[in-house]
Amino acid sequence: MTVKRMAGAVLATTLLCTGAVACGGSDKDGKAGAGSGETQSRSQVTEVITAAYEKTAKAKSAKVEMTMTAPKSMGGGSEDMKMSGVMGWDPTVMDMTMSGSALTDSDPEAPEKVRMLWLDNVMYMDMGAVAAKDMDGKQWVKMDLNTIAEQVGDEKAAKQLTGGLDSMNQDPAQQLAMLLDSPNLKHVGPAKVDGVSTQRYKGRLSVKEMMESNKGLDEMLGKSEREQLLKNIEKSGIKGYDTEVWVNEDDYPVRMDIDIKSPEGTMKTSQKFSEYGAAAKVTPPPAGETFDLMEMFKELEGMGKPDSGSSGSSDSGF
């Protein structure tokens, strides 16, 4: 790959991760009807989801398996991405492996799997041996959004960039907190998820309700920017977010789905959680094996500038 294509692959991977936060679930597992049970009242539902929120927030980490399916922006069909590994949400830390057509469809030379580490607001991605040929023999790409924001020199942009990184953390506690704000949150019934007995709940948030529930947006956007974001999302045709959660007998969510319907199709994300409290320790790769994305951008910028001895035109390959 050229450096240009590698930069594009890294950014595409990052956007896919970020987009996974706003996308939602499938229904191939966790079918209702596993056993019997009376439908719970709203107060009982609120009590259960509140207990699940409190236990999940206290656990601070878990093992995760996530699948995402999204409609392709052009053409037809869909693309998928899978992520598995361990993550923590207080503080944010992650060691996940990504795979799926979302990574490989746009570039046949892209790696089939990408390992992603996340520590101290810095992301590291193992792009594979093929990519290393264009990165001085280094397989790992480093992306420090704090540093990128500082280079931009815009405090507001810095908050948006670092906030965007934070939003990539699939914090199930935060998602449960937002679900509690759903005016139509209800109990669906008992269900089995991978053989585990659970109770299934579902709710829907409009775009406006979701934004009001997502407290992280307060730090990222001012009032006028939030209003503009709301208008842009509604203009895209997205009406709301359908969320379902399966809670086990220990008050932990074992699965959570979110569906977003748009004119292009439905974006689906399904997350399965296990081993709450699992150690989420991440060690960044050695500096000698890491290629800084900022340096990549500088190289791209240099490719676009004419040589001092030229007549003023250049072939940057863009």
Side-chain angles (χ1 to χ4, degrees):
M1 294 187 196
T2 64
V3 174
K4 172 189 171 184
R5 287 170 60 199
M6 177 50 59
V10 172
L11 290 175
T13 300
T14 304
L15 290 172
L16 283 167
C17 296
T18 307
V21 172
C23 304
S26 64
D27 201 27
K28 59 185 178 182
D29 296 314
K31 295 180 180 178
S36 61
E38 297 180 358
T39 300
Q40 299 171 356
S41 67
R42 174 63 194 229
S43 61
Q44 289 174 313
V45 171
T46 300
E47 183 178 350
V48 170
I49 301 302
T50 299
Y53 161 76
E54 292 174 347
K55 294 201 71 171
T56 303
K58 186 176 181 180
K60 298 184 178 182
S61 64
K63 289 189 175 181
V64 183
E65 292 183 8
M66 184 184 80
T67 59
M68 182 185 79
T69 303
K72 291 184 177 180
S73 57
M74 297 182 67
S78 61
E79 57 186 7
D80 67 87
M81 182 178 71
K82 297 179 180 180
M83 296 178 67
S84 63
V86 62
M87 72 175 187
W89 45 88
D90 186 17
T92 298
V93 63
M94 189 180 296
D95 186 345
M96 306 283 280
T97 298
M98 300 179 290
S99 63
S101 62
L103 294 177
T104 56
D105 279 359
S106 60
D107 193 331
E109 294 186 50
E112 294 184 358
K113 292 184 178 181
V114 174
R115 185 183 176 192
M116 181 180 71
L117 306 179
W118 183 359
L119 180 68
D120 297 331
N121 274 353
V122 180
M123 183 186 299
Y124 303 88
M125 286 177 282
D126 185 350
M127 303 304 292
V130 175
K133 297 177 181 178
D134 293 303
M135 298 192 299
D136 302 328
K138 303 172 183 178
Q139 291 188 196
W140 289 91
V141 171
K142 174 184 177 181
M143 184 168 62
D144 185 336
L145 291 194
N146 290 318
T147 300
I148 294 174
E150 289 173 2
Q151 293 292 326
V152 172
D154 186 330
E155 183 177 351
K156 187 177 294 185
K159 288 183 178 180
Q160 291 177 359
L161 285 169
T162 55
L165 180 58
D166 287 338
S167 72
M168 288 172 56
N169 182 12
Q170 297 288 291
D171 179 350
Q174 181 181 349
Q175 293 173 330
L176 287 169
M178 288 193 289
L179 182 60
L180 279 169
D181 287 335
S182 171
N184 54 10
L185 176 62
K186 65 180 181 179
H187 176 230
V188 177
K192 290 278 189 179
V193 177
D194 294 336
V196 176
S197 297
T198 71
Q199 294 294 329
R200 183 178 182 179
Y201 303 85
K202 68 185 302 182
R204 179 178 176 83
L205 285 171
S206 67
V207 175
K208 183 177 181 180
E209 289 167 342
M210 183 280 297
M211 292 183 64
E212 291 175 347
S213 299
N214 190 344
K215 305 305 181 184
L217 289 176
D218 293 337
E219 299 179 2
M220 295 165 54
L221 304 172
K223 181 180 178 180
S224 61
E225 293 166 324
R226 287 169 63 92
E227 291 175 349
Q228 186 60 51
L229 176 60
L230 174 60
K231 290 179 181 178
N232 291 343
I233 295 177
E234 291 179 334
K235 187 177 180 180
S236 71
I238 294 175
K239 302 299 183 183
Y241 303 78
D242 294 312
T243 300
E244 294 187 71
V245 61
W246 289 255
V247 181
N248 67 13
E249 296 175 350
D250 295 323
D251 294 330
Y252 285 113
V254 296
R255 178 180 168 189
M256 191 177 297
D257 291 3
I258 307 171
D259 286 2
I260 302 177
K261 294 181 176 63
S262 71
E264 289 76 27
T266 301
M267 296 182 290
K268 297 174 174 287
T269 298
S270 182
Q271 302 171 84
K272 291 184 178 181
F273 303 96
S274 63
E275 297 186 35
Y276 279 91
K281 297 181 180 179
V282 172
T283 301
E289 299 176 13
T290 303
F291 193 96
D292 195 317
L293 190 62
M294 283 302 297
E295 297 301 321
M296 185 181 295
F297 286 149
K298 290 178 181 178
E299 183 172 345
L300 286 171
E301 183 180 1
M303 290 169 61
K305 293 181 179 179
D307 295 333
S308 58
S310 69
S311 61
S313 62
S314 66
D315 182 6
S316 63
F318 282 80

